[in-house]
Amino acid sequence: VQLQASGGGLVQAGGSLRLSCAASGRTFSSYAVGWFRQAPGKEREFVGAMSWSGGSSLYADSVKGRFTISRDYAKNTVYLQMNSLKPEDTAVYYCAAGPQIVRSTRGYDYWGQGTQVTVSS
């Protein structure tokens, strides 16, 4: 599975962005998809994940209620809708695919290249 993340950019605090993760190669619909982010000088951290069926999702406490993951099976794409953005959300955001929803980066087999999100105060 090859993953391509896009949609990052510069936004003011309180604004919104929608990131996309487009998949090619093997069937994407059989994988759970996770979103992670990495700020400069920090470790990559879990943001959220959705099961292959879309029936289960998990979010980090820091983004719960502000970020939402959705899937479009016809387009083989997963989205991360980010609302009420804060400067501390600034990071490179990565999508990943794996067999199940987990918070650890080790649980994902395939990774996209990352897209930069910058939130100004």
Side-chain angles (χ1 to χ4, degrees):
V1 176
Q2 291 80 46
L3 304 178
Q4 178 80 27
S6 62
L10 174 63
V11 64
Q12 289 188 332
S16 298
L17 278 176
R18 189 178 77 161
L19 305 184
S20 299
C21 179
S24 60
R26 297 179 63 181
T27 304
F28 190 41
S29 59
S30 61
Y31 290 91
V33 175
W35 285 95
F36 292 78
R37 66 187 181 186
Q38 188 166 18
K42 295 187 177 181
E43 293 187 354
R44 193 168 297 188
E45 65 173 0
F46 175 77
V47 173
M50 176 171 279
S51 64
W52 66 269
S53 69
S56 299
S57 58
L58 188 65
Y59 296 93
D61 288 343
S62 59
V63 306
K64 199 173 295 182
R66 299 189 297 123
F67 291 11
T68 304
I69 298 172
S70 60
R71 304 184 71 144
D72 185 330
Y73 294 93
K75 295 183 178 179
N76 229 19
T77 300
V78 174
Y79 303 100
L80 178 66
Q81 178 67 43
M82 305 186 296
N83 299 328
S84 302
L85 282 161
K86 304 175 182 179
E88 51 263 44
D89 294 320
T90 296
V92 177
Y93 283 71
Y94 299 87
C95 60
Q100 58 185 338
I101 298 177
V102 293
R103 295 178 182 267
S104 171
T105 57
R106 293 189 294 272
Y108 296 87
D109 302 315
Y110 306 97
W111 290 84
Q113 86 291 357
T115 184
Q116 175 70 47
V117 172
T118 303
V119 184
S120 63
S121 56

